[in-house]
Amino acid sequence: MRGNFGRILLVELRGDRVAVEHVPLPEAVYQAFVGGVGLGAYLLWRFAPAGVDPLAPEAPLVYAFSPLLGTPLTTTAKFAVLCKSPLTGRISDGLSSSRFALAAKRLGVDAIVVRGALDRLSWLHLDEDPAACRAEPCPAWAGLSAHELSDMATKQGLFRHVSAIGPAGERQVRYATISNDGRHAGRGGAGAVLGAKRVKAISVRGAAVAGVADAASVQARARDLAARSAGAATEKYRALGTAANLETFDRLRILPRRNFQTVSIGQAAARRLAPEGLARAAEHVRDSCAGCTIGCDHRYGGTRIEYETQFALGPLIDVDDPARLIAAAGACDALGLDTISAGGTLAFAMECAERGLVDWPLRFGDDVLPWLGAIARREGAGDLLAEGTRRLAAVIGQGSERFACHVKGLELPGYEPRAMQTFALGLCVASRGADHNRSGAYQADLQVGVDRYRADVARAPARVIESEDNAALLDSLILCKFLRGAIREPWREGAELLTMVTGLSRGEDDLRRSARRIAAVRHAFNVREGWTLAEDRLPDRFHDEALEDGASLSRADVVAMVDAYHAARGHVPQGGPSERLRRELELDAWLTDAPPLQGPASLG
């Protein structure tokens, strides 16, 4: 088997010491879960004690790599970060592109599992030579942004590529990010988990190479995929980035405003926040992620702006000044805050203040820079806002829960579910909470012939499942989702890529089973950690308040779609995988307390 090393690095933190162990994985694990978020979900199940507090030393943090990482295939310089989320209490998986990913795989492992905690804020160095792994106290680094830390360490010759947390992670803000090369593994609060372990930064050093089984085929496919990635399917991302979506979504009336009270900010305001308006407010530079031929990274005044950041720190909190939006996004990057959860929590707090439920000097349209700093430092009211919308609503009470816009504790992304009712189902059932990356069901709502204002109980569950399974495939291979339009047959091409890289023969049906197995393990993890069907719901606002154009979302229709989804997935009512699904996907071989010495007798 090439492309993988057949082992992971288990890191135990104890006081001021680091103990490491190489743990072998059988080939069947890779056949079953591929890599990336699939491998990470399996390892999280394996190493997280049932019911563990996400911020306890025993809670693991998993860095998972893919067999394609380190090859010349475009957009594969990524890694997955998984944990039990301190924000939701459910599974959390994030992806990040970086040169750190390339350097980390050269440790000669396919994943890193970090457990335990240090007694002081420290820099954790991991090395291909286990004897060189160590933790160095770094009290002088407290309060530094990840960028400041990386820049300082590079100038001092300490390390080149680092995975680090900002001030928010140090103070265990529940939606703190992990940062690397200016990119973030953002949602769910993985930065708080690393902060709870008192790890400010992780550096890596190694020279191992996994190799590929068929180098000539990999090189040929890399050239072909690079050419396709530069075609019409990705032109929007190269020219303007996802920030181009805002003006379109405003015109379609699916752009949420003022904590989802309404949609649309008007075309004049939308143009101010669109890429052209951002470029007038700050210098625009286009960049690329490591190993990427698309080049969708658009920075304004040095700050990367994507649609979700643009939505959460713009219309959601009723800001239409591009300079203020860019400043708020830059502050989130420096502090290590997930922009969607930060904007969502602030929008909820603003509505509470305007309704007189709290006496904070915070209103829609206000400058949020002081509030972002207070959240990251957990100062004053910022300490409450650092807990996220769901916990904040529980403290405020007074009926505020009905307009606390989250699912499973994760704040909603920038799509209006009353006007995108297939995606409304995707939001409800996504394993990590309200999510647009693990369920791209919003794409179904925008297809020709789909009535996005109607909850299609008969067809929506299948559309959501197909979307989730496609995402599981791309996130386990770890290929960028912006390649979707350039890869015409993802299941066939994914199987071909794995075969030429690993030498293990894979077919389309094998990968479809893997995707379903990954979904089943994620759901089983959530069930084990306390999930109930009542969590797969939207806040009351979306059922009790119609939009200005009359669009409404029936509570009964959502319940029916959710029930139909779980039945189609093969879940028992209020529980995990059915006996039939367990047999079909051979889940009992994997959902055990220890990894099998050998995989299932048959994966086919």
Side-chain angles (χ1 to χ4, degrees):
M1 180 175 62
R2 309 303 293 273
N4 295 305
F5 293 98
R7 64 183 186 176
I8 66 170
L9 184 67
L10 178 60
V11 181
E12 297 279 2
L13 307 177
R14 306 168 186 170
D16 62 354
R17 296 181 297 113
V18 177
V20 300
E21 176 187 358
H22 285 120
V23 179
L25 291 182
E27 183 179 295
V29 171
Y30 302 93
Q31 292 273 26
F33 297 102
V34 184
V37 298
L39 176 62
Y42 166 69
L43 294 173
L44 187 66
W45 173 276
R46 162 67 184 89
F47 286 103
V52 69
D53 182 331
L55 299 177
E58 299 78 20
L61 183 70
V62 180
Y63 286 73
F65 314 126
S66 95
L68 307 189
L69 175 60
T71 72
L73 294 162
T74 187
T75 79
T76 57
K78 297 176 179 284
F79 64 91
V81 179
L82 294 95
C83 62
K84 182 179 178 181
S85 168
L87 185 64
T88 70
R90 304 293 174 253
I91 192 169
S92 178
D93 52 65
L95 297 172
S96 187
S97 302
S98 72
R99 290 172 180 81
F100 174 84
L102 296 165
K105 190 169 179 180
R106 287 197 288 269
L107 290 171
V109 297
D110 304 315
I112 302 166
V113 179
V114 183
R115 297 192 301 192
L118 299 166
D119 56 10
R120 291 180 290 174
L121 189 67
S122 300
W123 149 40
L124 174 63
H125 177 70
L126 301 178
D127 202 283
E128 187 179 3
D129 176 5
C133 296
R134 65 190 186 278
E136 298 280 352
C138 59
W141 296 2
L144 292 180
S145 71
H147 177 75
E148 290 170 331
L149 185 154
S150 180
D151 187 55
M152 177 196 69
T154 299
K155 289 177 179 176
Q156 294 180 6
L158 296 176
F159 43 73
R160 291 184 61 193
H161 305 298
V162 62
S163 183
I165 58 174
E170 294 175 39
R171 291 163 178 81
Q172 297 168 44
V173 174
R174 291 184 184 270
Y175 43 92
T177 67
I178 293 179
S179 309
N180 42 273
D181 289 356
R183 305 302 300 271
H184 300 264
R187 308 231 64 194
V193 176
L194 198 57
K197 298 183 181 306
R198 300 184 186 88
V199 174
K200 177 66 176 177
I202 299 176
S203 62
V204 291
R205 186 181 67 180
V209 177
V212 298
D214 185 345
S217 293
V218 170
Q219 288 286 354
R221 185 61 60 89
R223 289 191 294 270
D224 172 53
L225 195 54
R228 280 185 274 156
S229 76
T234 59
E235 173 59 28
K236 179 186 80 172
Y237 304 122
R238 289 194 304 277
L240 298 171
T242 60
N245 291 344
L246 186 136
E247 201 167 359
T248 301
F249 288 2
D250 184 84
R251 186 174 64 253
L252 294 173
R253 300 189 64 79
I254 57 177
L255 173 64
R257 182 185 181 191
R258 293 174 64 93
N259 196 36
F260 288 85
Q261 293 183 64
T262 183
V263 291
S264 180
I265 58 176
Q267 285 297 289
R271 280 192 293 272
R272 284 195 293 276
L273 297 182
E276 295 84 354
L278 295 171
R280 284 192 291 270
E283 181 186 8
H284 172 224
V285 175
R286 175 173 165 254
D287 200 357
S288 295
C289 300
C292 175
T293 52
I294 298 176
C296 73
D297 191 341
H298 292 264
R299 296 173 184 265
Y300 300 87
T303 297
R304 188 170 188 265
I305 302 292
E306 292 182 298
Y307 168 69
E308 293 296 341
T309 292
Q310 187 187 24
F311 140 78
L313 300 176
L316 190 64
I317 58 174
D318 216 18
V319 167
D320 64 4
D321 180 340
R324 287 173 54 199
L325 188 155
I326 293 168
C332 286
D333 281 354
L335 297 167
L337 291 169
D338 171 28
T339 55
I340 302 176
S341 285
T345 303
L346 283 166
F348 171 70
M350 287 171 172
E351 184 168 354
C352 287
E354 290 200 349
R355 288 173 176 264
L357 304 183
V358 293
D359 61 358
W360 300 332
L362 180 62
R363 298 293 185 272
F364 284 109
D366 282 357
D367 177 12
V368 297
L369 287 179
W371 288 89
L372 293 171
I375 290 170
R377 295 185 295 271
R378 283 187 172 270
E379 293 175 350
D383 189 34
L384 277 177
L385 272 65
E387 294 292 293
T389 298
R390 180 172 63 180
R391 287 177 174 82
L392 181 58
V395 172
I396 293 173
Q398 305 175 77
S400 65
E401 295 88 349
R402 60 173 295 279
F403 57 86
C405 295
H406 70 87
V407 175
K408 299 181 180 73
L410 192 67
E411 287 74 16
L412 268 69
Y415 306 82
E416 172 50 64
R418 284 164 289 195
M420 304 184 77
Q421 299 199 9
T422 301
F423 188 52
L425 171 61
L427 290 171
C428 288
V429 300
S431 60
R432 69 174 187 172
D435 188 17
H436 68 291
N437 271 326
R438 304 301 173 264
S439 171
Y442 59 88
Q443 292 179 298
D445 282 312
L446 298 176
Q447 290 177 355
V448 175
V450 173
D451 182 356
R452 58 186 172 89
Y453 291 98
R454 184 171 74 90
D456 191 337
V457 178
R459 295 181 179 86
R463 291 169 178 159
V464 169
I465 288 170
E466 180 66 14
S467 169
E468 290 178 337
D469 287 355
N470 270 282
L473 169 69
L474 292 175
D475 294 342
S476 297
L477 292 170
I478 319 184
L479 282 170
C480 179
K481 292 189 177 70
F482 291 168
L483 283 175
R484 284 173 299 206
I487 297 178
R488 291 175 289 276
E489 299 178 62
W491 300 101
R492 175 187 62 78
E493 190 153 356
E496 291 172 353
L497 290 174
L498 279 176
T499 299
M500 63 181 67
V501 169
T502 68
L504 303 175
S505 178
R506 305 301 304 273
E508 295 179 48
D509 289 343
D510 296 322
L511 289 191
R512 287 187 180 276
R513 276 192 294 273
S514 287
R516 293 174 59 215
R517 187 178 293 112
I518 292 164
V521 170
R522 284 166 159 168
H523 182 63
F525 180 90
N526 283 350
V527 170
R528 190 183 76 178
E529 299 308 307
W531 172 90
T532 68
L533 192 60
E535 296 178 19
D536 288 5
R537 298 288 185 265
L538 288 165
D540 289 342
R541 158 158 287 162
F542 297 105
H543 304 300
D544 298 340
E545 302 173 19
L547 296 174
E548 306 96 306
D549 57 8
S552 61
L553 180 61
S554 161
R555 184 179 281 103
D557 284 348
V558 170
V559 169
M561 287 195 298
V562 169
D563 288 346
Y565 165 89
H566 284 293
R569 271 294 189 197
H571 302 158
V572 301
Q574 297 286 352
S578 65
E579 283 300 316
R580 178 180 175 181
L581 187 66
R582 296 178 82 94
R583 289 194 303 272
E584 184 179 350
L585 301 179
E586 297 178 302
L587 295 176
D588 288 341
W590 305 109
L591 300 181
T592 56
D593 290 335
L597 296 178
Q598 296 180 357
S602 169
L603 289 172

